[in-house]
Amino acid sequence: MKSVLIATAAALAALATAPAFADADAAMSKAGCMACHAKDKKLVGPAFKEIAAKYKGQDGAVAKLTEKVRKGGAGSFGPTPMPAHGADKIGDAELQSAVESILKS
């Protein structure tokens, strides 16, 4: 019985995570992120895999990248500036989910 409960809990956790990443992808598309970024190749901005590699293992990476998206900036991946993306473009919860998804790329 205990192993059935553990297996059920693991399955539910997996199901709960999958929609979060689907929602993150939808939020990034709606916010316009995909106009400049792609998962595995550089467009105007760096690929999500490149971002994930640069920030891998860094403490506070989610907070740092969330702030970068909100404020915009340039210089981290070259001279092309990234404009600020306010809460009118992507909500706080969606942005956090998107950044977490990017870091898992």
Side-chain angles (χ1 to χ4, degrees):
M1 179 67 168
K2 188 175 185 179
S3 62
V4 172
L5 289 174
I6 292 171
T8 302
L12 288 173
L15 287 174
T17 303
F21 289 114
D23 291 345
D25 288 346
M28 288 188 287
S29 291
K30 184 177 177 186
C33 303
M34 306 312 282
C36 296
H37 298 277
K39 291 185 182 207
D40 58 1
K41 64 181 178 181
K42 178 179 175 32
L43 296 178
V44 175
F48 293 150
K49 286 186 177 190
E50 187 179 356
I51 296 167
K54 181 172 184 161
Y55 290 94
K56 183 177 183 174
Q58 289 188 26
D59 290 334
V62 173
K64 180 186 271 187
L65 289 173
T66 299
E67 183 177 352
K68 282 180 169 261
V69 171
R70 286 289 186 233
K71 291 183 177 180
S76 295
F77 290 92
T80 304
M82 182 177 78
H85 292 77
D88 60 320
K89 293 279 187 189
I90 186 167
D92 291 339
E94 292 84 6
L95 177 55
Q96 182 172 344
S97 179
V99 168
E100 290 169 352
S101 175
I102 290 166
L103 290 173
K104 292 181 181 186
S105 294

